[in-house]
Amino acid sequence: MALVPVFFVLLLGFVAGKARMVDNGHVEGLNALVMDFALPASLFAATASAPRDRFTEQAPVFLVFGVTILVVYVGWYWFERTFFAATRSDASVQALTVGFPNLAGVGLPILSTVLGPAGVVPVAVALATGSILVSPLTLVIVEMSAAKARGADGPSQPVLTALRRAFAKPVVWAPALGIALSLCDLNLDALVHACLALIGNAAAGVALFLTGLVLSAQSLRLDWRVIVARGAADIIRPLVAAAIVYGLHLAPDAANRAILLAALPSGFFGILFAVNYRLDSATIGSMVIASTGFSVVTLAIAIAMLSPH
């Protein structure tokens, strides 16, 4: 019940792109719908309506997920720079792909199914965590490399530009604002919640369709680098999270949520970054395809082991 609907909609987007029923070469409109409207509305409505104690309970998830994605990000960046002599930009975007899972497309529907409506809150916390940590870090590295290529002096301007671009995105500030309202015990008006929920209900399905559409435009290049990336995203990332939660002796519910979030397949943010900055999108696309396909097995195992039901 958790996995089949998710991969059905993802496959639907993939087939629609391959059959040219939807233009998979120009996904800017659908991407804007998901990342600038539907997903921020869904996350804001869910977080602003949640009681304060629900967020205090997510502090361990924030800590574990943040440390996990940073460890995997830094590890893959070092791996690419050391063994493949990748540029800083390519290494950082690949590290983002391997380290930051697909919370919008896969995480939201799966955790909502496994945990019920309360599953939106850990997804929002995790998305805010990654958007604050690894997305701006990637933007900083890419912007600094682009500035160096243009012959610009000094790192301060690219850093400020990257941070401004990252925190100006609705998908970053919307859940953060919702969490702030909840922590201040400011209740969201019922009419506002209903308005946001109507567009927010489209987030999970359209994000999955968009993921399949984006993947349909990528060619699968299965080499040992892609295989290692698949293992790092689908196996090593949840194992890192498991090591952290068991080392900290977290409560079972928080531990299970953090590990399940870490077990999600690679996200497609890296592909969008690569296309925007004209980087190696073929390798990144292959990593996402391989990770998403293999996650049918790894997610089934994770859900079976961790689901409270």
Side-chain angles (χ1 to χ4, degrees):
M1 290 301 296
L3 284 178
V4 172
V6 167
F7 283 94
F8 169 77
V9 178
L10 194 150
L11 183 62
L12 199 64
F14 186 86
V15 172
K18 284 294 186 183
R20 297 296 180 182
M21 290 184 283
V22 181
D23 186 359
N24 60 7
H26 298 87
V27 298
E28 295 83 2
L30 277 177
N31 185 60
L33 170 61
V34 173
M35 303 306 295
D36 295 337
F37 294 96
L39 186 59
S42 174
L43 296 177
F44 178 77
T47 53
S49 303
R52 178 196 292 184
D53 58 356
R54 188 171 293 176
F55 285 103
T56 58
E57 294 171 358
Q58 301 304 320
V61 175
F62 176 86
L63 174 64
V64 173
F65 188 78
V67 173
T68 298
I69 61 176
L70 278 175
V71 167
V72 177
Y73 184 100
V74 172
W76 191 262
Y77 183 87
W78 171 84
F79 177 79
E80 282 290 328
R81 294 283 292 165
T82 302
F83 293 98
F84 290 97
T87 65
R88 290 185 175 88
S89 295
D90 280 321
S92 64
V93 174
Q94 289 182 27
L96 177 69
T97 302
V98 174
F100 196 17
N102 192 348
L103 296 166
V106 181
L108 186 59
I110 283 185
L111 267 79
S112 297
T113 302
V114 174
L115 302 177
V120 177
V121 174
V123 172
V125 171
L127 189 55
T129 305
S131 299
I132 291 170
L133 294 177
V134 292
S135 288
L137 178 59
T138 304
L139 277 170
V140 167
I141 294 173
V142 172
E143 286 285 347
M144 289 181 67
S145 298
K148 185 176 180 180
R150 293 192 302 266
D153 295 327
S156 60
Q157 190 62 34
V159 172
L160 294 175
T161 299
L163 292 175
R164 186 175 64 251
R165 288 184 181 180
F167 289 101
K169 295 181 182 297
V171 76
V172 176
W173 59 257
L177 179 59
I179 293 171
L181 291 177
S182 176
L183 293 176
C184 294
D185 279 334
L186 297 175
N187 295 324
L188 188 65
D189 182 77
L191 180 59
V192 175
H193 182 277
C195 293
L196 294 173
L198 188 60
I199 181 65
N201 287 337
V206 179
L208 277 173
F209 188 89
L210 174 63
T211 301
L213 193 64
V214 169
L215 294 181
S216 72
Q218 308 299 316
S219 58
L220 178 59
R221 189 172 65 195
L222 197 60
D223 53 26
W224 80 273
R225 176 197 282 186
V226 173
I227 294 173
V228 173
R230 181 200 64 187
D234 294 354
I235 299 175
I236 294 177
R237 194 194 314 123
L239 288 179
V240 170
I244 295 171
V245 298
Y246 289 119
L248 295 175
H249 304 289
L250 295 185
D253 286 347
N256 291 350
R257 290 170 186 172
I259 296 171
L260 190 55
L261 287 166
L264 298 170
S266 294
F268 59 86
F269 283 6
I271 296 176
L272 301 177
F273 274 48
V275 172
N276 289 339
Y277 287 95
R278 298 182 180 180
L279 302 173
D280 185 7
S281 61
T283 297
I284 295 170
S286 297
M287 289 177 177
V288 175
I289 293 173
S291 173
T292 304
F294 190 60
S295 70
V296 175
V297 176
T298 55
L299 270 177
I301 295 172
I303 292 171
M305 293 177 63
L306 303 174
S307 173
H309 304 300

